[in-house]
mmCIF file of all heavy atoms in Angstrom:
data_model
loop_
_atom_site.group_PDB
_atom_site.id
_atom_site.type_symbol
_atom_site.label_atom_id
_atom_site.label_comp_id
_atom_site.label_asym_id
_atom_site.label_seq_id
_atom_site.Cartn_x
_atom_site.Cartn_y
_atom_site.Cartn_z
ATOM 1 N N ARG L 1258 94.375 56.588 78.949
ATOM 2 C CA ARG L 1258 93.348 57.632 79.062
ATOM 3 C C ARG L 1258 93.674 58.767 78.112
ATOM 4 O O ARG L 1258 94.836 59.133 77.935
ATOM 5 C CB ARG L 1258 93.299 58.172 80.489
ATOM 6 C CG ARG L 1258 92.648 57.237 81.503
ATOM 7 C CD ARG L 1258 92.882 57.738 82.912
ATOM 8 N NE ARG L 1258 92.526 59.151 83.027
ATOM 9 C CZ ARG L 1258 93.096 59.982 83.899
ATOM 10 N NH1 ARG L 1258 94.065 59.567 84.681
ATOM 11 N NH2 ARG L 1258 92.706 61.232 83.954
ATOM 12 N N LEU L 1276 100.942 77.066 80.432
ATOM 13 C CA LEU L 1276 100.812 77.526 79.062
ATOM 14 C C LEU L 1276 100.181 78.910 79.021
ATOM 15 O O LEU L 1276 99.679 79.414 80.031
ATOM 16 C CB LEU L 1276 99.979 76.524 78.248
ATOM 17 C CG LEU L 1276 98.586 76.151 78.772
ATOM 18 C CD1 LEU L 1276 97.509 77.009 78.129
ATOM 19 C CD2 LEU L 1276 98.299 74.684 78.521
ATOM 20 N N ASN L 1297 96.850 67.802 85.423
ATOM 21 C CA ASN L 1297 96.030 66.646 85.079
ATOM 22 C C ASN L 1297 96.421 65.489 85.985
ATOM 23 O O ASN L 1297 97.550 64.996 85.934
ATOM 24 C CB ASN L 1297 96.225 66.264 83.606
ATOM 25 C CG ASN L 1297 95.136 65.325 83.113
ATOM 26 O OD1 ASN L 1297 94.182 65.035 83.822
ATOM 27 N ND2 ASN L 1297 95.283 64.849 81.885
ATOM 28 N N GLU L 1351 96.571 97.825 84.394
ATOM 29 C CA GLU L 1351 96.139 99.189 84.688
ATOM 30 C C GLU L 1351 95.689 99.351 86.134
ATOM 31 O O GLU L 1351 95.265 100.442 86.522
ATOM 32 C CB GLU L 1351 94.981 99.572 83.754
ATOM 33 C CG GLU L 1351 95.357 99.628 82.284
ATOM 34 C CD GLU L 1351 96.365 100.728 81.984
ATOM 35 O OE1 GLU L 1351 96.298 101.787 82.656
ATOM 36 O OE2 GLU L 1351 97.209 100.539 81.094
ATOM 37 N N ALA L 1424 80.624 72.651 101.486
ATOM 38 C CA ALA L 1424 81.924 71.990 101.577
ATOM 39 C C ALA L 1424 83.068 73.001 101.664
ATOM 40 O O ALA L 1424 84.087 72.734 102.305
ATOM 41 C CB ALA L 1424 82.128 71.078 100.375
ATOM 42 N N ALA L 1465 94.272 86.781 105.989
ATOM 43 C CA ALA L 1465 93.150 85.983 106.482
ATOM 44 C C ALA L 1465 92.253 85.539 105.334
ATOM 45 O O ALA L 1465 91.818 84.382 105.269
ATOM 46 C CB ALA L 1465 92.351 86.767 107.515
ATOM 47 N N GLY L 1473 89.504 76.681 101.918
ATOM 48 C CA GLY L 1473 88.225 76.335 101.307
ATOM 49 C C GLY L 1473 88.387 75.488 100.060
ATOM 50 O O GLY L 1473 87.623 74.531 99.830
ATOM 51 N N ARG L 1505 73.281 102.985 103.537
ATOM 52 C CA ARG L 1505 73.859 104.076 102.750
ATOM 53 C C ARG L 1505 73.829 105.396 103.518
ATOM 54 O O ARG L 1505 73.039 105.591 104.439
ATOM 55 C CB ARG L 1505 73.120 104.209 101.416
ATOM 56 C CG ARG L 1505 73.301 102.970 100.540
ATOM 57 C CD ARG L 1505 72.719 103.108 99.153
ATOM 58 N NE ARG L 1505 73.025 101.921 98.362
ATOM 59 C CZ ARG L 1505 74.139 101.747 97.668
ATOM 60 N NH1 ARG L 1505 75.054 102.721 97.642
ATOM 61 N NH2 ARG L 1505 74.347 100.631 96.989
ATOM 62 N N PRO L 1521 78.288 90.757 115.150
ATOM 63 C CA PRO L 1521 76.827 90.631 115.168
ATOM 64 C C PRO L 1521 76.216 91.988 115.506
ATOM 65 O O PRO L 1521 76.775 92.746 116.312
ATOM 66 C CB PRO L 1521 76.580 89.611 116.286
ATOM 67 C CG PRO L 1521 77.756 89.746 117.193
ATOM 68 C CD PRO L 1521 78.921 90.139 116.322
ATOM 69 N N LEU L 1528 76.167 101.859 113.878
ATOM 70 C CA LEU L 1528 77.279 101.273 113.128
ATOM 71 C C LEU L 1528 78.421 102.264 112.946
ATOM 72 O O LEU L 1528 79.507 101.895 112.528
ATOM 73 C CB LEU L 1528 76.794 100.811 111.752
ATOM 74 C CG LEU L 1528 75.635 99.811 111.728
ATOM 75 C CD1 LEU L 1528 75.166 99.576 110.295
ATOM 76 C CD2 LEU L 1528 76.041 98.506 112.387
ATOM 77 N N THR L 1547 68.667 92.888 112.280
ATOM 78 C CA THR L 1547 69.558 92.066 113.088
ATOM 79 C C THR L 1547 70.318 91.106 112.178
ATOM 80 O O THR L 1547 69.729 90.486 111.289
ATOM 81 C CB THR L 1547 68.747 91.271 114.119
ATOM 82 O OG1 THR L 1547 68.105 92.199 115.016
ATOM 83 C CG2 THR L 1547 69.639 90.334 114.922
ATOM 84 N N GLY L 1548 71.613 91.004 112.383
ATOM 85 C CA GLY L 1548 72.396 90.137 111.509
ATOM 86 C C GLY L 1548 73.880 90.241 111.788
ATOM 87 O O GLY L 1548 74.308 90.380 112.945
ATOM 88 N N PRO L 1557 86.819 107.233 104.366
ATOM 89 C CA PRO L 1557 86.043 108.052 105.305
ATOM 90 C C PRO L 1557 85.342 109.239 104.656
ATOM 91 O O PRO L 1557 84.479 109.861 105.290
ATOM 92 C CB PRO L 1557 87.093 108.525 106.312
ATOM 93 C CG PRO L 1557 88.380 108.463 105.579
ATOM 94 C CD PRO L 1557 88.271 107.338 104.599
ATOM 95 N N ALA L 1569 74.090 91.253 106.695
ATOM 96 C CA ALA L 1569 73.374 90.068 106.271
ATOM 97 C C ALA L 1569 72.438 89.617 107.367
ATOM 98 O O ALA L 1569 72.820 89.565 108.550
ATOM 99 C CB ALA L 1569 74.375 88.944 105.936
#
Side-chain angles (χ1 to χ4, degrees):
R1258 286 169 50 209
L1276 55 95
N1297 195 6
E1351 296 295 326
R1505 296 186 176 274
L1528 303 173
T1547 297

